[in-house]
Amino acid sequence: SVFKQGKFQKNMNLTYGLPYMAKYNYYDNNVYVIHKTKVTYQNENCITVIDSKKDSEKFTIKYNKGIEDITFTEDNKMIVSSWNLDNESNYNLDVFDLNTCCIVKTLKLSNMFNRIISVSKDLLYAVDRNCKDSYVYVISLSKGKIINKIKLDYKNPYNIYMDNINKTVYVLHQNYDLQEGQGVSIIDCIKHKSINKISDIYNPERDRKSVV
């Protein structure tokens, strides 16, 4: 659905169904729509690319894995956090070159990261919603592994957002199963450490400023 200044404009028809998450790429002005993973119709598993200026579907990137999240880098890469359909305990970070829409690198990890963000060309921040430990994982794409963990003030990291202007990351805390939690952790992504917190927030799910 397309809205302008808070008013509905139109619906866009997509080739494939079950869209459940849309991510805007600031570097190419496209929107990337993740579709819920289909086990029966695996040939439909893909990421739909939308031209945000024309409000129309451009093409689809076929990708037969269970997608958790995607993020983008300034050197025209897309990183996809996913799991294999034939073995849900195999977790991946696939790096796509958006010039060719092909995978150029795959990182095999022991954690399933439900939310990831790019903080530089090489580094990602990631959170595992299934883990109660209060950490943000720092992943190096060039080294292909987790290189650091940032300790947080609250348990159950749930969502993570980037303020590109101030180079600040916000982590929302909430129990994934019980849908309850408290607090927002604030991280300096230059120094890679927690610098502040907001305590009087309960059950946080979305960061409106970052989404807009």
Side-chain angles (χ1 to χ4, degrees):
S1 296
V2 182
F3 290 80
K4 183 178 181 180
Q5 296 178 346
K7 295 182 179 180
F8 174 79
Q9 302 295 307
K10 65 176 182 179
N11 283 325
M12 284 184 287
N13 293 322
L14 303 180
T15 300
Y16 297 102
L18 301 182
Y20 84 97
M21 186 188 300
K23 289 293 187 77
Y24 179 69
N25 185 348
Y26 290 91
Y27 303 112
D28 66 7
N29 297 313
N30 290 326
V31 173
Y32 293 74
V33 178
I34 301 170
H35 297 258
K36 281 189 176 293
T37 305
K38 301 179 180 69
V39 177
T40 306
Y41 299 97
Q42 293 191 20
N43 62 315
E44 295 185 3
N45 290 330
C46 65
I47 299 169
T48 297
V49 183
I50 295 174
D51 187 325
S52 67
K53 294 183 178 180
K54 297 180 180 179
D55 295 330
S56 62
E57 179 181 308
K58 296 179 70 174
F59 55 88
T60 58
I61 301 172
K62 290 303 180 70
Y63 186 69
N64 194 33
K65 293 181 181 180
I67 302 174
E68 291 293 318
D69 200 10
I70 59 177
T71 189
F72 310 95
T73 63
E74 61 185 44
D75 58 345
N76 212 30
K77 300 293 191 302
M78 175 176 69
I79 297 91
V80 183
S81 178
S82 65
W83 41 271
N84 290 3
L85 298 186
D86 58 349
N87 187 342
E88 294 186 16
S89 62
N90 287 344
Y91 310 129
N92 318 283
L93 285 178
D94 283 326
V95 181
F96 283 80
D97 183 341
L98 291 178
N99 293 313
T100 61
C101 293
C102 293
I103 296 174
V104 294
K105 188 172 186 177
T106 295
L107 280 63
K108 298 292 185 181
L109 300 171
S110 58
N111 294 68
M112 180 174 70
F113 293 114
N114 313 97
R115 291 294 177 264
I116 57 173
I117 58 166
S118 169
V119 296
S120 72
K121 290 181 181 180
D122 183 54
L123 297 181
L124 304 179
Y125 281 3
V127 296
D128 180 356
R129 286 179 172 177
N130 299 311
C131 182
K132 293 183 179 179
D133 291 340
S134 304
Y135 294 106
V136 165
Y137 295 84
V138 183
I139 302 169
S140 169
L141 296 177
S142 61
K143 295 180 180 179
K145 63 180 181 180
I146 298 168
I147 61 171
N148 193 12
K149 293 193 297 184
I150 302 172
K151 180 68 175 176
L152 304 174
D153 293 303
Y154 304 105
K155 294 182 179 180
N156 303 112
Y158 181 81
N159 263 340
I160 185 166
Y161 297 99
M162 176 78 172
D163 180 348
N164 287 295
I165 296 176
N166 296 308
K167 298 300 180 183
T168 303
V169 168
Y170 297 86
V171 182
L172 283 61
H173 296 264
Q174 182 178 131
N175 184 294
Y176 186 60
D177 294 322
L178 301 178
Q179 297 295 296
E180 61 183 21
Q182 176 187 3
V184 176
S185 297
I186 304 174
I187 298 173
D188 183 326
C189 63
I190 301 298
K191 298 179 180 179
H192 306 299
K193 68 177 184 178
S194 179
I195 57 173
N196 208 342
K197 60 184 178 180
I198 305 173
S199 59
D200 55 346
I201 295 179
Y202 296 87
N203 305 322
E205 285 199 41
R206 301 286 296 201
D207 182 327
R208 183 183 299 269
K209 178 181 177 182
S210 295
V211 172
V212 172

